[in-house]
Protein backbone atom coordinates (compact mmCIF):
# COMPACT_ATOMS: atom_id res chain seq x y z
CA UNK A 1 0.00 0.00 0.00
CA UNK A 2 1.35 3.45 -0.96
CA UNK A 3 0.75 6.31 1.46
CA UNK A 4 -0.14 9.89 0.53
CA UNK A 5 -1.09 12.87 2.68
CA UNK A 6 -4.06 13.56 0.43
CA UNK A 7 -5.94 11.47 -2.11
CA UNK A 8 -8.30 13.37 -4.42
CA UNK A 9 -10.83 11.27 -6.35
CA UNK A 10 -11.93 12.82 -9.66
CA UNK A 11 -9.63 14.80 -11.97
CA UNK A 12 -12.19 17.34 -13.10
CA UNK A 13 -12.14 21.06 -12.46
CA UNK A 14 -12.61 20.91 -8.68
CA UNK A 15 -10.37 17.87 -8.14
CA UNK A 16 -7.44 19.27 -10.11
CA UNK A 17 -7.73 22.56 -8.23
CA UNK A 18 -7.89 20.91 -4.81
CA UNK A 19 -4.92 18.66 -5.67
CA UNK A 20 -2.93 21.62 -7.00
CA UNK A 21 -3.51 23.73 -3.88
CA UNK A 22 -2.75 20.90 -1.45
CA UNK A 23 0.43 20.12 -3.41
CA UNK A 24 1.47 23.78 -3.32
CA UNK A 25 1.23 23.58 0.47
CA UNK A 26 3.78 20.79 0.45
CA UNK A 27 1.30 17.95 0.86
CA UNK A 28 2.02 14.68 -0.92
CA UNK A 29 -1.01 14.33 -3.21
CA UNK A 30 -2.47 11.57 -5.37
CA UNK A 31 -5.16 12.49 -7.93
CA UNK A 32 -7.21 9.52 -9.14
CA UNK A 33 -9.40 9.55 -12.27
CA UNK A 34 -11.43 6.64 -13.59
CA UNK A 35 -11.52 7.71 -17.26
CA UNK A 36 -8.38 7.85 -19.38
CA UNK A 37 -8.33 11.65 -19.54
CA UNK A 38 -8.51 14.42 -16.93
CA UNK A 39 -10.86 17.39 -17.35
CA UNK A 40 -13.17 15.95 -20.00
CA UNK A 41 -16.02 18.29 -19.10
CA UNK A 42 -13.70 21.26 -19.29
CA UNK A 43 -12.80 20.19 -22.84
CA UNK A 44 -16.42 20.19 -24.04
CA UNK A 45 -17.47 23.23 -22.03
CA UNK A 46 -18.42 26.54 -23.57
CA UNK A 47 -18.58 25.00 -27.04
CA UNK A 48 -14.91 23.94 -26.72
CA UNK A 49 -13.77 27.36 -25.49
CA UNK A 50 -14.55 26.90 -21.77
CA UNK A 51 -16.50 29.69 -20.12
CA UNK A 52 -14.08 29.46 -17.19
CA UNK A 53 -15.53 32.11 -14.88
CA UNK A 54 -17.83 35.12 -14.69
CA UNK A 55 -16.78 38.65 -13.82
CA UNK A 56 -20.11 39.16 -12.03
CA UNK A 57 -19.74 36.11 -9.79
CA UNK A 58 -21.70 36.75 -6.57
CA UNK A 59 -23.15 34.22 -4.09
CA UNK A 60 -26.71 35.20 -5.10
CA UNK A 61 -26.14 33.46 -8.45
CA UNK A 62 -25.88 30.02 -6.86
CA UNK A 63 -28.65 27.63 -5.78
CA UNK A 64 -28.35 25.61 -2.60
CA UNK A 65 -30.54 24.58 0.33
CA UNK A 66 -28.27 26.97 2.27
CA UNK A 67 -27.90 30.04 0.01
CA UNK A 68 -25.11 31.42 2.25
CA UNK A 69 -22.88 28.35 2.17
CA UNK A 70 -20.90 29.27 -0.96
CA UNK A 71 -19.98 32.77 0.29
CA UNK A 72 -16.86 31.84 2.19
CA UNK A 73 -15.13 29.79 -0.54
CA UNK A 74 -16.15 32.24 -3.29
CA UNK A 75 -14.70 35.13 -1.27
CA UNK A 76 -11.40 33.41 -0.57
CA UNK A 77 -10.69 32.34 -4.15
CA UNK A 78 -12.46 34.74 -6.48
CA UNK A 79 -13.04 35.04 -10.22
CA UNK A 80 -10.26 37.65 -10.23
CA UNK A 81 -7.83 35.15 -8.71
CA UNK A 82 -8.64 32.67 -11.46
CA UNK A 83 -8.34 35.35 -14.16
CA UNK A 84 -4.89 36.21 -12.77
CA UNK A 85 -3.87 32.55 -13.04
CA UNK A 86 -5.12 32.38 -16.64
CA UNK A 87 -3.14 35.54 -17.46
CA UNK A 88 0.02 34.11 -15.82
CA UNK A 89 -0.26 31.18 -18.24
CA UNK A 90 -0.55 33.55 -21.20
CA UNK A 91 -3.99 32.24 -22.18
CA UNK A 92 -5.87 34.79 -24.29
CA UNK A 93 -9.54 35.26 -23.40
CA UNK A 94 -12.50 37.53 -24.02
CA UNK A 95 -15.79 38.50 -22.41
CA UNK A 96 -18.58 37.15 -24.59
CA UNK A 97 -21.63 38.55 -22.83
CA UNK A 98 -22.93 39.15 -19.30
CA UNK A 99 -19.46 38.88 -17.72
CA UNK A 100 -18.80 35.42 -19.23
CA UNK A 101 -15.08 34.83 -19.90
CA UNK A 102 -14.07 32.37 -22.64
CA UNK A 103 -10.70 31.28 -24.05
CA UNK A 104 -9.94 32.85 -27.43
CA UNK A 105 -8.36 29.55 -28.43
CA UNK A 106 -9.43 26.28 -26.85
CA UNK A 107 -10.59 24.75 -23.57
CA UNK A 108 -7.52 22.51 -23.91
CA UNK A 109 -5.48 25.48 -22.70
CA UNK A 110 -7.33 25.46 -19.37
CA UNK A 111 -6.75 21.72 -18.91
CA UNK A 112 -3.08 22.14 -19.88
CA UNK A 113 -2.78 24.97 -17.33
CA UNK A 114 -4.30 22.87 -14.55
CA UNK A 115 -2.09 19.89 -15.39
CA UNK A 116 1.00 22.12 -15.43
CA UNK A 117 0.05 23.58 -12.04
CA UNK A 118 -0.55 20.10 -10.61
CA UNK A 119 2.77 18.85 -11.98
CA UNK A 120 4.60 21.89 -10.54
CA UNK A 121 2.99 21.17 -7.18
CA UNK A 122 4.21 17.56 -7.32
CA UNK A 123 0.75 16.00 -7.66
CA UNK A 124 0.78 12.35 -8.79
CA UNK A 125 -1.98 11.87 -11.38
CA UNK A 126 -3.23 8.38 -12.15
CA UNK A 127 -5.91 7.93 -14.83
CA UNK A 128 -7.92 4.77 -15.67
CA UNK A 129 -8.03 3.88 -11.96
CA UNK A 130 -11.27 2.43 -10.70
CA UNK A 131 -11.90 2.86 -6.97
CA UNK A 132 -13.34 -0.39 -5.64
CA UNK A 133 -13.59 0.39 -1.94
CA UNK A 134 -13.01 3.11 0.64
CA UNK A 135 -12.61 2.49 4.35
CA UNK A 136 -11.48 4.56 7.29
CA UNK A 137 -9.68 3.61 10.49
CA UNK A 138 -6.96 6.00 11.70
CA UNK A 139 -6.55 6.96 8.03
CA UNK A 140 -8.43 6.35 4.76
CA UNK A 141 -7.73 3.30 2.63
CA UNK A 142 -8.65 3.64 -1.03
CA UNK A 143 -8.72 0.32 -2.86
CA UNK A 144 -8.44 0.48 -6.67
CA UNK A 145 -8.07 -1.95 -9.53
CA UNK A 146 -4.37 -0.90 -9.59
CA UNK A 147 -3.64 -1.44 -5.89
CA UNK A 148 -4.41 0.22 -2.58
CA UNK A 149 -3.52 3.69 -1.30
CA UNK A 150 -3.80 5.25 2.14
CA UNK A 151 -4.23 8.91 3.05
CA UNK A 152 -4.89 11.23 5.97
CA UNK A 153 -7.26 13.32 3.86
CA UNK A 154 -9.68 12.20 1.18
CA UNK A 155 -11.25 14.71 -1.22
CA UNK A 156 -14.40 13.66 -3.10
CA UNK A 157 -14.36 15.54 -6.41
CA UNK A 158 -16.24 13.22 -8.74
CA UNK A 159 -18.89 15.74 -9.77
CA UNK A 160 -22.60 15.15 -10.28
CA UNK A 161 -24.75 12.92 -12.46
CA UNK A 162 -24.87 15.10 -15.58
CA UNK A 163 -23.75 13.56 -18.87
CA UNK A 164 -23.06 9.94 -17.85
CA UNK A 165 -21.36 9.27 -21.19
CA UNK A 166 -18.62 11.75 -20.18
CA UNK A 167 -17.81 9.67 -17.08
CA UNK A 168 -20.28 11.19 -14.58
CA UNK A 169 -21.24 8.89 -11.71
CA UNK A 170 -23.04 9.08 -8.39
CA UNK A 171 -19.80 8.01 -6.71
CA UNK A 172 -19.40 11.03 -4.39
CA UNK A 173 -23.03 10.76 -3.33
CA UNK A 174 -22.62 7.04 -2.57
CA UNK A 175 -19.44 7.57 -0.53
CA UNK A 176 -21.02 10.49 1.32
CA UNK A 177 -24.01 8.34 2.22
CA UNK A 178 -21.70 5.58 3.42
CA UNK A 179 -20.01 8.03 5.81
CA UNK A 180 -23.37 9.28 7.08
CA UNK A 181 -23.47 12.59 5.20
CA UNK A 182 -27.00 13.58 4.14
CA UNK A 183 -27.91 14.37 0.53
CA UNK A 184 -30.21 16.95 -0.99
CA UNK A 185 -32.07 14.95 -3.66
CA UNK A 186 -30.17 15.43 -6.92
CA UNK A 187 -31.98 16.55 -10.08
CA UNK A 188 -30.92 17.80 -13.52
CA UNK A 189 -30.26 21.55 -13.85
CA UNK A 190 -29.50 23.88 -16.79
CA UNK A 191 -31.46 21.42 -18.91
CA UNK A 192 -33.83 21.79 -21.91
CA UNK A 193 -37.57 21.36 -21.35
CA UNK A 194 -39.64 18.74 -23.16
CA UNK A 195 -43.32 19.12 -24.10
CA UNK A 196 -46.02 16.80 -25.35
CA UNK A 197 -49.43 16.92 -27.04
CA UNK A 198 -50.63 20.06 -28.81
CA UNK A 199 -47.78 22.16 -27.40
CA UNK A 200 -45.17 19.86 -28.92
CA UNK A 201 -47.11 19.92 -32.22
CA UNK A 202 -46.71 23.70 -32.17
CA UNK A 203 -43.06 23.68 -31.15
CA UNK A 204 -41.62 20.88 -33.27
CA UNK A 205 -41.96 22.64 -36.66
CA UNK A 206 -40.33 25.70 -35.07
CA UNK A 207 -37.11 23.80 -34.21
CA UNK A 208 -34.15 26.10 -34.81
CA UNK A 209 -36.08 29.36 -34.23
CA UNK A 210 -34.37 31.53 -31.56
CA UNK A 211 -35.42 34.84 -30.05
CA UNK A 212 -34.71 37.02 -27.01
CA UNK A 213 -37.22 36.41 -24.20
CA UNK A 214 -37.64 36.75 -20.47
CA UNK A 215 -38.21 33.26 -19.02
CA UNK A 216 -39.58 32.96 -15.49
CA UNK A 217 -39.74 29.95 -13.17
CA UNK A 218 -40.44 30.21 -9.47
CA UNK A 219 -38.93 33.46 -8.23
CA UNK A 220 -36.31 33.75 -10.98
CA UNK A 221 -36.41 35.61 -14.31
CA UNK A 222 -33.81 35.44 -17.08
CA UNK A 223 -33.57 37.83 -20.04
CA UNK A 224 -31.62 35.84 -22.62
CA UNK A 225 -32.21 33.84 -25.80
CA UNK A 226 -34.69 30.97 -26.14
CA UNK A 227 -34.49 28.23 -28.77
CA UNK A 228 -37.24 25.93 -30.06
CA UNK A 229 -36.10 22.29 -30.39
CA UNK A 230 -37.61 19.10 -31.80
CA UNK A 231 -38.65 18.14 -28.28
CA UNK A 232 -39.48 21.52 -26.73
CA UNK A 233 -37.46 24.51 -25.57
CA UNK A 234 -33.82 25.27 -24.87
CA UNK A 235 -31.44 28.26 -25.08
CA UNK A 236 -29.82 30.13 -22.19
CA UNK A 237 -33.01 31.74 -20.79
CA UNK A 238 -34.76 28.36 -20.63
CA UNK A 239 -31.74 26.48 -19.25
CA UNK A 240 -31.43 29.07 -16.49
CA UNK A 241 -35.16 28.86 -15.66
CA UNK A 242 -34.98 25.05 -15.55
CA UNK A 243 -32.81 25.19 -12.42
CA UNK A 244 -35.67 26.97 -10.61
CA UNK A 245 -38.43 24.76 -12.03
CA UNK A 246 -40.24 21.93 -10.24
CA UNK A 247 -42.16 19.24 -12.15
CA UNK A 248 -45.78 20.26 -12.73
CA UNK A 249 -45.03 23.97 -12.41
CA UNK A 250 -45.59 26.40 -15.27
CA UNK A 251 -42.83 28.45 -16.89
CA UNK A 252 -43.78 31.92 -18.10
CA UNK A 253 -42.17 33.34 -21.19
CA UNK A 254 -42.31 36.94 -22.41
CA UNK A 255 -41.82 36.60 -26.16
CA UNK A 256 -41.73 40.36 -26.73
CA UNK A 257 -39.73 41.79 -23.84
CA UNK A 258 -39.90 45.57 -23.58
CA UNK A 259 -43.07 45.76 -25.70
CA UNK A 260 -46.72 45.94 -24.67
CA UNK A 261 -47.76 43.40 -27.31
CA UNK A 262 -51.55 44.02 -26.93
CA UNK A 263 -51.10 47.75 -27.41
CA UNK A 264 -48.78 47.16 -30.37
CA UNK A 265 -51.32 44.86 -32.10
CA UNK A 266 -54.23 47.29 -31.53
CA UNK A 267 -52.13 50.21 -32.81
CA UNK A 268 -51.15 48.18 -35.90
CA UNK A 269 -54.82 47.33 -36.53
CA UNK A 270 -55.59 51.05 -36.81
CA UNK A 271 -52.43 52.02 -38.73
CA UNK A 272 -52.25 49.07 -41.19
CA UNK A 273 -55.77 47.49 -41.33
CA UNK A 274 -55.07 45.68 -44.61
CA UNK A 275 -51.98 43.88 -43.27
CA UNK A 276 -52.08 40.21 -42.37
CA UNK A 277 -51.67 39.57 -38.63
CA UNK A 278 -48.58 37.37 -39.23
CA UNK A 279 -46.93 40.33 -41.03
CA UNK A 280 -47.63 42.58 -38.04
CA UNK A 281 -46.45 39.92 -35.60
CA UNK A 282 -43.22 39.53 -37.55
CA UNK A 283 -42.27 43.02 -36.32
CA UNK A 284 -42.12 41.52 -32.82
CA UNK A 285 -41.18 37.88 -33.44
CA UNK A 286 -39.16 35.72 -35.85
CA UNK A 287 -41.22 35.10 -38.98
CA UNK A 288 -41.87 31.37 -38.49
CA UNK A 289 -43.07 31.90 -34.93
CA UNK A 290 -45.22 34.86 -36.01
CA UNK A 291 -46.84 32.71 -38.66
CA UNK A 292 -47.48 29.79 -36.30
CA UNK A 293 -49.00 31.92 -33.54
CA UNK A 294 -51.17 33.93 -35.94
CA UNK A 295 -52.52 30.71 -37.46
CA UNK A 296 -53.20 29.27 -34.01
CA UNK A 297 -54.75 32.31 -32.32
CA UNK A 298 -56.46 34.45 -34.98
CA UNK A 299 -59.02 33.98 -37.76
CA UNK A 300 -57.61 34.04 -41.33
CA UNK A 301 -58.44 37.69 -41.99
CA UNK A 302 -56.59 40.97 -42.45
CA UNK A 303 -55.94 42.57 -39.08
CA UNK A 304 -58.50 45.35 -39.61
CA UNK A 305 -61.25 42.69 -39.65
CA UNK A 306 -60.12 40.99 -36.45
CA UNK A 307 -61.99 42.06 -33.29
CA UNK A 308 -59.98 43.76 -30.54
CA UNK A 309 -60.59 40.95 -28.00
CA UNK A 310 -58.59 38.20 -29.80
CA UNK A 311 -55.83 40.71 -30.55
CA UNK A 312 -55.63 41.64 -26.85
CA UNK A 313 -55.64 37.95 -25.93
CA UNK A 314 -52.81 37.25 -28.36
CA UNK A 315 -50.87 40.24 -26.99
CA UNK A 316 -51.31 38.92 -23.45
CA UNK A 317 -50.07 35.52 -24.58
CA UNK A 318 -46.99 37.08 -26.19
CA UNK A 319 -46.05 38.88 -22.98
CA UNK A 320 -47.03 36.08 -20.57
CA UNK A 321 -46.98 32.72 -22.34
CA UNK A 322 -47.58 30.22 -19.57
CA UNK A 323 -46.28 26.77 -20.45
CA UNK A 324 -46.18 23.60 -18.41
CA UNK A 325 -43.30 21.39 -19.54
CA UNK A 326 -43.91 17.64 -19.63
CA UNK A 327 -40.40 17.23 -18.19
CA UNK A 328 -36.75 17.83 -19.02
CA UNK A 329 -34.15 16.15 -21.20
CA UNK A 330 -32.68 14.71 -17.98
CA UNK A 331 -29.07 14.03 -17.03
CA UNK A 332 -28.17 13.09 -20.62
CA UNK A 333 -28.42 16.79 -21.59
CA UNK A 334 -28.21 18.61 -18.22
CA UNK A 335 -25.17 20.85 -17.83
CA UNK A 336 -25.25 20.44 -14.07
CA UNK A 337 -26.73 18.45 -11.19
CA UNK A 338 -28.74 20.36 -8.62
CA UNK A 339 -28.66 19.00 -5.08
CA UNK A 340 -25.97 16.63 -3.88
CA UNK A 341 -24.04 16.41 -0.63
CA UNK A 342 -25.91 18.53 1.92
CA UNK A 343 -23.88 21.60 2.86
CA UNK A 344 -25.18 21.27 6.43
CA UNK A 345 -22.71 18.41 6.83
CA UNK A 346 -19.71 20.44 5.60
CA UNK A 347 -17.57 23.30 6.88
CA UNK A 348 -18.13 26.25 4.57
CA UNK A 349 -14.55 27.36 5.15
CA UNK A 350 -12.75 24.11 4.36
CA UNK A 351 -15.37 21.83 2.73
CA UNK A 352 -14.47 19.19 5.34
CA UNK A 353 -17.20 16.94 6.69
CA UNK A 354 -18.10 18.15 10.18
CA UNK A 355 -18.38 14.65 11.61
CA UNK A 356 -15.79 12.80 9.48
CA UNK A 357 -12.41 14.48 10.01
CA UNK A 358 -10.25 14.29 6.89
CA UNK A 359 -13.14 13.78 4.45
CA UNK A 360 -13.73 16.68 2.03
CA UNK A 361 -16.25 17.22 -0.78
CA UNK A 362 -15.93 19.82 -3.54
CA UNK A 363 -17.41 20.99 -6.84
CA UNK A 364 -20.62 19.73 -8.34
CA UNK A 365 -20.86 16.79 -5.93
CA UNK A 366 -21.96 19.33 -3.30
CA UNK A 367 -25.39 20.98 -3.13
CA UNK A 368 -24.19 24.25 -4.68
CA UNK A 369 -25.13 24.97 -8.30
CA UNK A 370 -24.36 28.10 -10.26
CA UNK A 371 -26.17 29.92 -13.02
CA UNK A 372 -25.18 29.37 -16.61
CA UNK A 373 -22.21 31.52 -17.61
CA UNK A 374 -19.02 30.38 -15.88
CA UNK A 375 -20.43 30.21 -12.35
CA UNK A 376 -20.13 26.44 -12.05
CA UNK A 377 -16.45 26.41 -12.90
CA UNK A 378 -15.88 29.25 -10.44
CA UNK A 379 -17.52 27.12 -7.76
CA UNK A 380 -15.24 24.22 -8.75
CA UNK A 381 -12.12 26.47 -8.45
CA UNK A 382 -13.25 28.14 -5.20
CA UNK A 383 -14.41 25.00 -3.41
CA UNK A 384 -11.36 23.06 -4.67
CA UNK A 385 -9.07 25.80 -3.37
CA UNK A 386 -10.83 25.84 0.03
CA UNK A 387 -10.35 22.08 0.44
CA UNK A 388 -6.77 22.21 -0.89
CA UNK A 389 -5.93 24.78 1.78
CA UNK A 390 -7.01 22.41 4.54
CA UNK A 391 -6.66 18.83 3.31
C1 LIG B 1 -21.78 20.29 -21.96
C2 LIG B 1 -21.39 21.06 -20.72
C3 LIG B 1 -20.87 22.34 -20.86
C4 LIG B 1 -20.53 23.07 -19.71
N1 LIG B 1 -20.03 24.32 -19.88
C5 LIG B 1 -19.70 25.04 -18.78
C6 LIG B 1 -19.09 26.32 -18.91
O1 LIG B 1 -18.76 26.76 -20.02
N2 LIG B 1 -18.85 27.04 -17.77
C7 LIG B 1 -19.14 26.55 -16.53
O2 LIG B 1 -18.89 27.23 -15.53
N3 LIG B 1 -19.66 25.31 -16.37
C8 LIG B 1 -19.93 24.55 -17.47
N4 LIG B 1 -20.45 23.31 -17.30
C9 LIG B 1 -20.59 22.77 -15.93
C10 LIG B 1 -19.20 22.32 -15.45
O3 LIG B 1 -18.61 21.51 -16.45
C11 LIG B 1 -19.30 21.55 -14.13
O4 LIG B 1 -20.04 22.26 -13.20
C12 LIG B 1 -17.89 21.29 -13.60
O5 LIG B 1 -17.16 20.53 -14.52
C13 LIG B 1 -17.95 20.58 -12.25
O6 LIG B 1 -16.63 20.30 -11.86
P1 LIG B 1 -16.32 19.04 -10.93
O7 LIG B 1 -14.84 18.94 -10.90
O8 LIG B 1 -17.08 19.11 -9.69
O9 LIG B 1 -16.91 17.79 -11.73
P2 LIG B 1 -16.46 17.19 -13.14
O10 LIG B 1 -15.87 18.23 -14.00
O11 LIG B 1 -17.63 16.42 -13.63
O12 LIG B 1 -15.27 16.20 -12.77
C14 LIG B 1 -15.49 15.00 -12.07
C15 LIG B 1 -14.39 14.05 -12.46
O13 LIG B 1 -14.50 12.88 -11.65
C16 LIG B 1 -14.39 11.73 -12.48
N5 LIG B 1 -15.09 10.63 -11.82
C17 LIG B 1 -16.42 10.41 -11.72
N6 LIG B 1 -16.65 9.29 -11.04
C18 LIG B 1 -15.44 8.78 -10.68
C19 LIG B 1 -15.01 7.65 -9.94
N7 LIG B 1 -15.90 6.78 -9.45
N8 LIG B 1 -13.68 7.45 -9.75
C20 LIG B 1 -12.77 8.34 -10.27
N9 LIG B 1 -13.12 9.41 -10.98
C21 LIG B 1 -14.44 9.65 -11.18
C22 LIG B 1 -15.02 12.17 -13.79
O14 LIG B 1 -14.60 11.35 -14.86
C23 LIG B 1 -14.48 13.60 -13.90
O15 LIG B 1 -13.21 13.64 -14.48
C24 LIG B 1 -20.75 22.53 -18.43
C25 LIG B 1 -21.25 21.24 -18.30
C26 LIG B 1 -21.55 20.50 -19.43
C27 LIG B 1 -22.06 19.10 -19.27
Amino acid sequence: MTHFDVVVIGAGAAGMFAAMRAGQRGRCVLLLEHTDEPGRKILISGGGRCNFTNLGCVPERFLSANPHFARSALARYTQHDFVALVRRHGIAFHEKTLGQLFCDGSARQIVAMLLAECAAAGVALRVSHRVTDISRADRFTIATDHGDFSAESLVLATGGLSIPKMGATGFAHDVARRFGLPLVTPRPGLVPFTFDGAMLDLMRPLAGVALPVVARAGRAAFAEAMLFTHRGLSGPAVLQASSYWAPGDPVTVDLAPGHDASAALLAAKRARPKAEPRTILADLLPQRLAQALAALQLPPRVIGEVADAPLKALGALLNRWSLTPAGTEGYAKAEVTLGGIDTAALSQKTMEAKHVPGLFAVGEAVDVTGWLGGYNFQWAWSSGWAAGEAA
Side-chain angles (χ1 to χ4, degrees), residues 10 12-14 33-34 45-46 51 158-159 163 167 169 171 335 363-364 374 376-377:
E33 167 62 40
H34 73 156
S45 69
N51 176 194
T158 53
I163 323 273
T169 66
F171 181 86
E335 277 201 17
E364 204 177 310
N376 286 295
F377 279 135

Side-chain angles (χ1 to χ4, degrees), residues 7-389:
V7 169
V8 180
I9 307 181
M16 285 197 270
F17 228 63
M20 171 199 86
R21 185 61 195 143
Q24 288 169 348
R25 288 174 44 241
R27 302 285 274 166
C28 180
V29 183
L30 173 66
L31 177 56
L32 290 176
E33 167 62 40
H34 73 156
T35 70
D36 59 1
E37 187 180 32
R40 277 190 173 182
K41 265 196 195 162
I42 299 174
L43 294 176
I44 58 156
S45 69
R49 292 226 161 105
C50 185
N51 176 194
F52 54 77
T53 193
N54 194 296
L55 290 174
C57 190
V58 287
E60 290 72 24
R61 294 182 173 185
F62 292 82
L63 294 88
S64 171
N66 175 0
H68 301 294
F69 180 83
R71 275 178 196 281
S72 173
L74 290 172
R76 276 178 307 117
Y77 191 89
T78 69
Q79 62 270 39
H80 308 294
D81 294 320
F82 194 78
V83 169
L85 178 65
V86 168
R87 282 191 203 281
R88 275 204 300 285
H89 282 258
I91 299 172
F93 61 91
H94 60 278
E95 180 182 346
K96 197 168 167 190
T97 174
L98 303 171
Q100 302 168 4
L101 300 187
F102 287 74
C103 298
D104 289 355
S106 155
R108 289 206 172 273
Q109 295 172 286
I110 298 293
V111 175
M113 175 186 85
L114 296 169
L115 289 175
E117 288 287 336
C118 281
V123 172
L125 168 65
R126 308 270 171 85
V127 297
S128 304
H129 274 51
R130 200 168 63 81
V131 176
T132 53
D133 190 36
I134 295 177
S135 56
R136 177 170 173 268
D138 55 332
R139 53 176 64 164
F140 291 93
T141 301
I142 300 100
T144 79
D145 55 354
H146 290 66
D148 294 357
F149 305 96
S150 63
E152 286 154 31
S153 297
L154 176 65
V155 183
L156 299 174
T158 53
L161 299 165
S162 310
I163 323 273
K165 70 174 189 221
M166 301 290 305
T169 66
F171 181 86
H173 301 164
D174 296 342
V175 176
R177 246 187 238 114
R178 188 126 56 88
F179 282 101
L181 275 59
L183 289 187
V184 174
T185 308
R187 62 190 173 89
L190 299 179
V191 64
F193 285 130
T194 57
F195 288 83
D196 54 16
M199 195 50 79
L200 183 59
D201 293 341
L202 170 72
M203 290 174 174
R204 191 183 281 131
L206 294 170
V209 171
L211 71 161
V213 302
V214 176
R216 292 188 168 79
R219 60 199 153 83
F222 296 96
E224 289 189 63
M226 178 176 90
L227 172 72
F228 287 89
T229 73
H230 287 103
R231 288 165 54 86
L233 294 175
S234 186
V238 167
L239 297 178
Q240 298 273 38
S242 74
S243 293
Y244 290 84
W245 177 77
D249 283 358
V251 178
T252 310
V253 179
D254 183 348
L255 295 168
H259 297 276
D260 179 336
S262 296
L265 290 174
L266 292 177
K269 175 178 171 177
R270 321 250 177 272
R272 296 157 67 191
K274 298 244 171 326
E276 288 194 42
R278 65 178 179 181
T279 311
I280 302 293
L281 276 178
D283 290 343
L284 294 171
L285 304 174
Q287 210 162 5
R288 276 163 67 195
L289 179 58
Q291 194 164 349
L293 288 179
L296 191 73
Q297 297 289 321
L298 298 177
R301 305 209 185 99
V302 291
I303 195 164
E305 293 173 11
V306 180
D308 284 1
L311 290 177
K312 278 189 199 159
L314 176 56
L317 180 142
L318 294 186
N319 285 133
R320 282 181 306 280
W321 197 18
S322 179
L323 303 157
T324 303
T328 73
E329 297 273 10
Y331 289 118
K333 293 267 175 73
E335 277 201 17
V336 288
T337 302
L338 295 154
I341 299 171
D342 193 334
T343 59
L346 303 174
S347 152
Q348 61 180 347
K349 192 162 173 231
T350 63
M351 309 301 295
E352 186 173 14
K354 288 176 182 165
H355 301 300
V356 190
L359 181 66
F360 297 76
V362 295
E364 204 177 310
V366 176
D367 172 35
V368 173
T369 306
W371 283 10
L372 188 81
Y375 298 94
N376 286 295
F377 279 135
Q378 187 57 46
W379 171 245
W381 319 134
S382 297
S383 60
W385 181 272
E389 288 265 86

